Amino acid sequence: MDLQWITDFVSMQGTSFVINLVAALAIFFIGRWVVKLLHGLSLKAMQRGKLDPLLTKFLGNIVYALLMIFVVLAAIGQVGIQTTSLIAVLGAAGLAVGLALQGSLANFAAGVLVIFFRPYRIGDYVEAGGTSGTIDDVQIFTTELRTPDNRKVIVPNGQMMSGAITNYSSHDTRRVDLVVGVGYDDDIDTVRRVLEGVVADDPRVLADPEPNIRMSAMGDSCINWIVRPWVNAVDYWDVYWEMTEEIKRRFDAEAISIPFPQRDVHVYHHPDKADEASL
C-alpha cells in the first residue's frame, strides 16, 4: 500500500513536471517571438520619431536584452524555481562577475558616453581605437566599423573612447591638401598659372573658402607647391585623385618637370706612391 502511494505520487509529480516544462518551453519560444516583434516595433517607432540612428540601435539593443531577461525569468518560474531567490543569487553572482568583468562594464559605460556626447554617428568615417572605417553599428559593449576594403572591425567601446577620435564626416566640407614638386629651372609664373587653371576648371571646387595655391618650400631636389582647394566632403577622394592626375597631364603639356631625388657625386683622384715616384 505504501509503495503504491509513492508510485502514484511520483507519477503525478512527474506528469506535472513535464507539463510545466512544456509550458516553460512554450513561454520561452513564444516570448522570444514576441520580444523580436516588440523590438522591431520599437525600432520603427524611434525611426518615425526621427531619432538619431546611433541612439535608435543602442536603445533597441537594450530593450531587446531587458525583454529577453523577463522572458527567461518567466519560463524559469513556470518550472517551479523561485525567481525571487534566483534573482537574489544572480544579484550576488552578478556583483562578483561585475568585479571580474570590469572591462565589460567600462565598455558599457563608454557606450553610454558615445550616445550622450555623440562623437560619431552611423555612417561617419572615423579614425579611433587604433583603426579607421565607417560606423555601421554601436552595440552595448562594442562598435562595429566597416573598412574601405569591406572588412568588419569590432572595437570595444572603451577603446574607442580612450583616445583621440578623428571624425572625417562631421563637417560638410573638407580641404584637399596636395603637394606638388617642380624643378628649379621651371618658370614660377607658368607653374602658378597651370595649377590655378586645374583648380578653376574643376566644378567641384568651392569658391568659398578660396583655394590656396602657394610656393611652400625649396627642397633638395625640387620646389614644393601646395594646392589646397575646398570641396564637399563626399567629393574629397574623387577630387584628390583626379586633380593629381590632371596636374600631371598639364605639367607634361607645358613641359614642366617633376624632378626625382638626385645627388651630385664628385670623384677626386689622389695619386698613389707609385705615381708620385714616377714623377
Side-chain angles (χ1 to χ4, degrees), residues 97-166:
V97 172
L99 294 175
L101 300 178
Q102 295 183 24
S104 297
L105 295 178
N107 289 329
F108 175 78
V112 174
L113 292 178
V114 169
I115 299 302
F116 185 76
F117 292 107
R118 298 185 183 181
Y120 48 79
R121 302 171 183 267
I122 300 297
D124 285 356
Y125 188 87
V126 302
E127 182 178 335
T131 187
S132 58
T134 303
I135 301 295
D136 272 349
D137 194 9
V138 177
Q139 302 286 341
I140 297 177
F141 300 107
T142 60
T143 295
E144 295 182 3
L145 297 93
R146 175 170 35 87
T147 63
D149 57 349
N150 207 31
R151 291 178 294 128
K152 177 190 286 188
V153 180
I154 301 176
V155 184
N157 289 330
Q159 185 174 335
M160 291 288 292
M161 295 293 290
S162 63
I165 300 175
T166 303

Side-chain angles (χ1 to χ4, degrees), residues 53-201:
L54 184 67
L55 183 60
T56 298
K57 288 194 174 185
F58 188 80
L59 292 179
N61 292 330
I62 292 179
V63 169
Y64 182 82
L66 292 177
L67 291 177
M68 280 304 301
I69 291 175
F70 176 78
V71 170
V72 171
L73 291 177
I76 292 176
Q78 182 62 35
V79 179
I81 299 176
Q82 295 294 328
T83 55
T84 54
S85 301
L86 179 63
I87 292 174
V89 172
L90 291 177
L95 178 61
V97 172
L99 294 175
L101 300 178
Q102 295 183 24
S104 297
L105 295 178
N107 289 329
F108 175 78
V112 174
L113 292 178
V114 169
I115 299 302
F116 185 76
F117 292 107
R118 298 185 183 181
Y120 48 79
R121 302 171 183 267
I122 300 297
D124 285 356
Y125 188 87
V126 302
E127 182 178 335
T131 187
S132 58
T134 303
I135 301 295
D136 272 349
D137 194 9
V138 177
Q139 302 286 341
I140 297 177
F141 300 107
T142 60
T143 295
E144 295 182 3
L145 297 93
R146 175 170 35 87
T147 63
D149 57 349
N150 207 31
R151 291 178 294 128
K152 177 190 286 188
V153 180
I154 301 176
V155 184
N157 289 330
Q159 185 174 335
M160 291 288 292
M161 295 293 290
S162 63
I165 300 175
T166 303
N167 191 333
Y168 295 96
S169 305
S170 59
H171 299 297
D172 295 332
T173 60
R174 289 185 62 187
R175 190 184 71 187
V176 179
D177 289 355
L178 297 176
V179 178
V180 181
V182 300
Y184 274 91
D185 295 332
D186 294 308
D187 182 67
I188 294 177
D189 295 330
T190 303
V191 173
R192 187 188 303 275
R193 174 178 56 81
V194 171
L195 294 177
E196 289 178 348
V198 171
V199 173
D201 292 343

